[in-house]
Amino acid sequence: KAGVTQTPRYLIKTRGQQVTLSCSPISGHRSVSWYQQTPGQGLQFLFEYFSETQRNKGNFPGRFSGRQFSNSRSEMNVSTLELGDSALYLCASRGVLYGYTFGSGTRLTVV
Amino acid sequence: QQQVKQSPQSLIVQKGGIPIINCAYENTAFDYFPWYQQFPGKGPALLIAIRPDVSEKKEGRFTISFNKSAKQFSLHIMDSQPGDSATYFCAASLLSRSARQLTFGSGTQLTVLP
């Protein structure tokens, strides 16, 4: 079955702009999580959605938000971009078992 | 208490060697311990995982050893190959408020020389 699809793969934005990233989970998976990966901080949890509800949120400012649609697709939004938001943003979906499947990520560069 | 400490940061072995990557955790509520492999430009891919009621799990050339009393677990790669060169992350997960999240170690960059 198809894996986790993230779009776009690469994105360049200017400081102060906002950005929306998209994630389509594996068919049948209702849980979608987002992670930020940077060389300095590693992989950090942003938030998790299940059946359109945010169930858990990591330690990130309110500029980071997300949502999940009825078809389990999820979007993540970052407003008022800062240089430090440059990172690889990863989406992971999970079915009824414990394992998470990650997408290839969206590489965001803020200039 | 949510941290997972991983070592070493980097590792170089010869082909056929057995690299070992170690992780330690503090929170005894963690109940799922996966290892992920990540190649440049790709997302992490689940390699193998273990629950704390098991001391060892093997899948192909990959083995997890789990020491619950010491709160440590490690990944062994038997007969390592140049194609195993990647970054490896340990992680731990727990159920909190009906939700799960992964807490990752800092990663180990493995290089297997031909």
Side-chain angles (χ1 to χ4, degrees):
Chain A
K1 52 184 174 182
V4 177
T5 303
Q6 290 189 246
T7 57
R9 286 298 311 277
Y10 303 93
L11 209 46
I12 300 176
K13 289 287 188 178
T14 305
R15 272 181 302 174
Q17 287 186 315
Q18 75 166 25
V19 67
T20 299
L21 312 181
S22 179
C23 172
S24 294
I26 290 173
S27 178
H29 285 192
R30 296 165 64 188
S31 168
V32 174
S33 300
W34 289 88
Y35 289 81
Q36 181 196 63
Q37 185 174 25
T38 60
Q41 298 298 317
L43 281 150
Q44 292 188 289
F45 172 75
L46 279 156
F47 27 66
E48 186 208 17
Y49 286 87
F50 182 87
S51 292
E52 302 178 66
T53 301
Q54 184 182 92
R55 296 201 299 188
N56 207 354
K57 190 177 193 317
N59 189 25
F60 278 82
R63 301 184 296 106
F64 291 81
S65 63
R67 58 178 175 168
Q68 187 180 34
F69 302 95
S70 58
N71 61 357
S72 293
R73 189 177 72 85
S74 177
E75 287 182 348
M76 187 192 117
N77 185 277
V78 187
S79 62
T80 319
L81 284 166
E82 301 177 359
L83 294 179
D85 297 333
S86 295
L88 180 67
Y89 290 88
L90 293 159
C91 168
S93 78
R94 184 170 65 88
V96 296
L97 299 178
Y98 293 82
Y100 293 80
T101 302
F102 283 83
S104 292
T106 293
R107 172 74 63 186
L108 172 64
T109 302
V110 182
V111 296
Chain B
Q1 254 207 337
Q2 292 284 37
Q3 277 189 323
V4 177
K5 295 183 179 180
Q6 182 172 347
S7 63
Q9 187 175 2
S10 63
L11 192 51
I12 301 174
V13 299
Q14 295 285 341
K15 178 183 173 181
I18 306 175
I20 301 172
I21 305 170
N22 301 298
C23 285
Y25 63 98
E26 288 295 324
N27 192 341
T28 55
F30 285 132
D31 63 356
Y32 173 71
F33 300 87
W35 283 90
Y36 283 84
Q37 178 189 56
Q38 186 177 27
F39 292 104
K42 299 290 187 182
L46 179 63
L47 204 53
I48 186 173
I50 198 167
R51 300 289 306 277
D53 52 348
V54 177
S55 61
E56 185 177 276
K57 183 174 181 181
K58 291 183 180 180
E59 283 188 6
R61 295 184 294 109
F62 302 94
T63 299
I64 299 179
S65 296
F66 191 87
N67 186 328
K68 188 175 181 178
S69 61
K71 292 186 283 186
Q72 295 175 347
F73 58 110
S74 59
L75 176 71
H76 298 62
I77 306 176
M78 311 300 288
D79 187 27
S80 58
Q81 302 295 314
D84 296 330
S85 297
T87 302
Y88 292 81
F89 294 93
C90 63
S93 173
L94 59 80
L95 187 64
S96 173
R97 290 171 287 156
S98 302
R100 284 196 167 270
Q101 69 180 71
L102 288 170
T103 300
F104 283 90
S106 54
T108 296
Q109 189 165 350
L110 172 66
T111 302
V112 181
L113 301 175

